[in-house]
């Protein structure tokens, strides 16, 4: 009968522990594998590997503990394996860390100190003469090693320098050229950019699907479009926040900056669920933690032009070092580095890359006063800028215009408002409608200031006359909000996730339009547009700028239905899932009466080969001579996209084509219809099991080429996209 475990333990207390140091294959392999993982991590600079290695070190320590307890054996190779993993992580952060050297050295040395003590104790066990002491030390120490790894993992500072190709030289050269080209003149406008978070396409009164009886009343925001332009086909550059904001500020697709998803906080916090900071290394490539410092932002370009620059509200593009807003061209920032549902969610005041906390996470558990606080900070900064303009004008000096971005956290969930005016603690007004209507009044206060204040740079005129005001959203709606007849919502490549409202006004820059502008544009066009109005005529030469200026469109110098982009790409994650573009195609109408049709054209009764069509069915549109009418229409193609239907999350749509002009809801796939394109299918196409018409076929090819170009663009800008 086998000896009882307790009996073994009693005997082992008086016997020396068995030291395993045999040159066996399994031991050597484990050490070699640990060494390879360390080398891959340090040489490649892969941030996510540090997390993987620390998790593995926990399991290594656990296996060591089990082996000691179960067999009274101490494997020196396992100790070496553990040491390589832990020290490898510490060494990686000391060498490649993004913080200051002495900080990362002291921090990582401190985190690894407990592991060092444990390894030292176990390494000295062979010299222990007291068997009972070695018995307890090995068990306690190996168990503590598990905790040492876990503590390191939970508190590790996951910040490594980006490993992507640097464009810093071109960044500095461009800004110097802008600076040397001259300061802004009185003809260059102030700029106020108002950016919402997760506002749906139809949430404004002016965009409401309910026409004259909208659910949400937004008269102040609507007045921007009434005095300027209303864009009916504006798209976000991404269906989620951070990539879209990247594109607005840089005028580039977010894939160029490896910003393919939402940026999470990086600072270690002791709040529950704050460990979302571990997400960045797995979802953002090349150790990117936000908007890379060598990107050229609107704020940097305008600052070089002589503008005062301020940002208020939400940032969500990084929370340290080069990623901070005041290291990206903004003179001043008041708001949060994070999204309002992240932990921590605090409000800071920031200048020159240094920030101080104004409202802590606990202070912001009730966010009812956010609109009031951010609006006041925006108002005060705007007034300070205008006071500075007055002082400069009185001294006959050049008065600097301002660029202000007010990035509201609303209506992103969780919803708060102070619509009732009762302050914090009142939850009766915390709903979607009242949140937006409160913000509308806040916008009204800013617009009133502009409309009622004399322009120091242009005596006799109002600030509003010489201010470019723009209003839009970063992407489609999350939990609430109405997309009208559009399919999908936030974080989907469907129209509802991408299409956003866009209003703009600049009385002295472009006259109010008589009709809604139907040209398709993208929010990354804001970059080129603002620079154009600011008198910056040069563009960076070392990188592609994907956005286009809307100045000519807004001034009526080009047709209002002319698309600014040949193609629009719809991203989800790091690749484009869909593509849209304009094609010549036949136009279709619903039959108003029973008729005969041949090849989609209405013909006389008795025509050979004609088919009878009932009233209400779709037929090809013809002119007075009976010839089919050809129109330029926008088509959107999906190669392979996951359904937005949560009940069928494992289903994918493949080879889907929609006519966005006749079917904006993306309801009916026409990829295999042969009667829409002016170019007919070939006989070879028809022999395919699921033949694609020429439009779908061309868009599929272009989409595949685009994704291939993204993958191969290692220098972050060597390929021009349409």
């Amino acid at each position: 009968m086998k000896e009882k475990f307790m009996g073994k333990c009693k005997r082992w207390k008086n016997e020396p522990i068995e030291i395993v140091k045999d040159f066996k294959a399994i031991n050597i392999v484990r050490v070699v594998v640990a060494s390879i993982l360390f080398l891959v991590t340090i040489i490649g600079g892969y941030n996510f590997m540090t997390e993987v290695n620390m998790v593995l070190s926990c399991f290594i320590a656990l296996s060591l503990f089990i082996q000691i307890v179960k067999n009274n054996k101490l494997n020196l190779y396992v100790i070496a394996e553990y040491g390589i993993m832990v020290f490898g992580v510490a060494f990686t952060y000391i060498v490649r860390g993004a913080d200051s050297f002495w900080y990362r050295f002291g921090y990582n040395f401190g985190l690894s100190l407990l592991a060092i003590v444990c390894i030292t104790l176990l390494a000295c066990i062979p010299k222990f003469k007291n068997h009972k002491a070695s018995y307890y030390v090995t068990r306690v120490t190996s168990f503590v090693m598990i905790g040492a790894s876990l503590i390191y993992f939970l508190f590790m500072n996951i910040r490594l320098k980006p490993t992507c190709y640097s464009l810093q030289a071109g960044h500095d050269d461009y800004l110097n050229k802008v600076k040397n080209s001259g300061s802004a003149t009185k003809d260059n406008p102030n700029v106020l950019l108002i950016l919402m978070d997760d506002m749906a396409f139809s949430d404004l009164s002016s965009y409401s699907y309910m026409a004259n009886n909208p659910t949400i009343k937004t008269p102040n925001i609507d007045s921007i479009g009434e005095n300027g332009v209303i864009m009916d086909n504006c798209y976000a550059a991404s269906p989620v926040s951070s990539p879209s904001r990247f594109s607005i500020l840089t005028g580039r697709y977010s894939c160029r900056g490896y910003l393919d998803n939402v940026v999470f906080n990086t600072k270690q916090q002791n709040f529950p669920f704050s460990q979302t900071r571990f997400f960045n290394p797995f979802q953002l490539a090349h150790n990117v933690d936000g908007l890379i410092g060598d990107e050229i932002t609107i704020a940097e370009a305008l600052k070089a032009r002589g503008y005062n620059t301020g940002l208020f509200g939400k940032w969500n593009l990084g929370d340290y070092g080069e990623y901070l807003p005041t290291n990206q061209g903004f003179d001043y920032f008041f708001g949060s580095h994070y999204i309002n549902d992240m932990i921590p969610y605090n409000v800071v005041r920031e200048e020159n890359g240094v920030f101080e906390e104004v409202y802590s996470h606990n202070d912001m558990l009730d966010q009812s006063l956010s609109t009031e606080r951010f609006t006041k900070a925006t108002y005060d900064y705007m007034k300070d800028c205008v006071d500075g303009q007055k002082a400069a004008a009185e001294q006959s000096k050049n008065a600097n215009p301002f660029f202000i971005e007010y990035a509201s956290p609303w209506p992103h969930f969780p919803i708060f408002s102070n619509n009732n005016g009762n302050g914090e603690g009142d939850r009766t007004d915390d709903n979607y409608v009242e949140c937006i209507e409160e913000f509308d009044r806040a916008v009204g206060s800013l617009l009133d200031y502009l409309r009622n204040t004399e322009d120091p740079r242009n005596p006799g005129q109002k600030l509003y006359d010489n201010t470019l005001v723009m209003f839009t959203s970063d992407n489609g709606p999350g939990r609430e909000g109405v997309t009208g007849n559009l399919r999908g919502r936030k974080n989907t490549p469907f129209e509802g996730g991408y299409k956003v409202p866009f209003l703009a006004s600049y009385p002295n820059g472009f006259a109010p339009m008589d009709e809604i502008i139907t040209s398709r544009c993208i929010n990354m066009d804001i970059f080129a547009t603002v620079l154009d109005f600011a008198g910056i005529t040069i563009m960076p030469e070392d990188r592609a700028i994907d956005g286009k200026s809307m100045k000519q469109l807004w001034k009526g110098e080009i047709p209002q239905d002319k698309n600014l982009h040949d193609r629009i790409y719809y991203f989800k994650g790091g690749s484009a899932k869909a593509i849209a573009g304009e094609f010549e195609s036949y136009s279709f109408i619903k039959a108003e009466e029973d008729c005969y049709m041949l090849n989609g054209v209405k013909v006389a009764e008795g025509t050979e080969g004609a088919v009878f069509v009932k009233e209400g069915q779709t037929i090809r549109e013809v002119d007075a001579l009976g010839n089919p009418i050809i129109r330029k229409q926008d088509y959107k193609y999906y190669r392979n996209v996951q359904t937005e239907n949560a009940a069928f999350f494992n289903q994918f749509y493949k080879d889907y084509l929609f006519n966005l002009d006749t079917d904006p809801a993306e309801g009916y796939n026409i990829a295999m219809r042969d009667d829409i394109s002016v170019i007919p299918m070939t006989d070879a196409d028809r022999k395919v099991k699921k033949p694609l018409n020429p439009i779908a076929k061309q868009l599929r090819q272009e989409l595949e080429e685009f994704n291939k170009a993204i993958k191969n663009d290692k220098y972050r800008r060597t390929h021009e996209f349409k």
Side-chain angles (χ1 to χ4, degrees), residues 407-465:
S408 171
W410 310 125
H412 190 286
F413 185 85
I415 299 294
F416 290 87
S417 85
N418 190 28
N419 205 49
N420 293 336
N422 295 328
E424 294 177 327
D426 180 7
R427 301 303 307 272
T428 61
D429 57 357
D430 291 349
N431 61 70
Y432 196 90
V433 174
E434 296 199 58
C435 177
I436 293 179
E437 289 186 345
E438 179 192 17
F439 186 75
D440 178 75
R441 290 195 294 275
V443 171
S445 67
L446 298 177
L447 296 179
D448 286 343
Y449 176 77
L450 293 174
R451 288 167 177 155
N452 298 325
T453 304
E454 294 291 326
D455 185 356
R457 299 190 305 139
N458 295 277
Q461 300 182 40
K462 300 296 184 182
L463 276 173
Y464 188 76
D465 298 329

Side-chain angles (χ1 to χ4, degrees), residues 595-613:
C595 64
Y596 287 86
M597 189 167 67
L598 178 62
N599 294 327
V601 180
K602 185 178 179 181
V603 295
E605 181 179 356
T607 303
E608 184 178 355
V611 178
F612 180 72
V613 177

Side-chain angles (χ1 to χ4, degrees), residues 145 203 311 372 471 484 497 500 523 539 547 556-557 592 650 697:
M145 286 171 67
D203 281 348
L311 172 63
E372 179 181 322
F471 177 96
V500 292
N523 62 8
M539 283 289 171
E557 297 173 356
E592 298 179 355
N650 60 334
K697 192 174 180 180

Side-chain angles (χ1 to χ4, degrees), residues 515-619:
E515 57 183 326
I516 294 174
I517 294 180
T518 59
S519 170
R520 296 189 186 277
C521 63
I522 310 175
N523 62 8
M524 66 182 175
D525 296 331
I526 292 173
F527 176 89
T529 303
V530 171
L531 267 58
D532 199 356
F533 277 109
I536 301 175
T537 58
I538 56 175
M539 283 289 171
E541 298 177 356
D542 69 324
R543 66 197 72 196
I545 300 299
D546 302 302
K548 310 292 183 182
S549 175
M550 294 181 279
K551 184 177 180 180
Q552 285 186 300
L553 186 66
W554 290 351
K555 291 175 73 68
E557 297 173 356
I558 58 176
Q560 296 178 14
D561 61 352
K562 178 178 175 57
N563 292 337
L564 295 182
H565 298 267
D566 293 334
R567 298 290 183 264
I568 291 178
Y569 298 94
Y570 300 76
F571 288 84
K572 181 174 171 59
S575 63
K577 302 299 182 184
I579 179 175
E582 192 176 60
F583 287 86
E584 284 191 343
S585 61
Y586 293 117
S587 179
F588 290 82
I589 59 173
K590 285 187 177 181
E592 298 179 355
E593 58 183 356
D594 294 349
C595 64
Y596 287 86
M597 189 167 67
L598 178 62
N599 294 327
V601 180
K602 185 178 179 181
V603 295
E605 181 179 356
T607 303
E608 184 178 355
V611 178
F612 180 72
V613 177
K614 292 183 178 181
E615 177 184 349
Q617 287 186 312
T618 301
I619 60 174

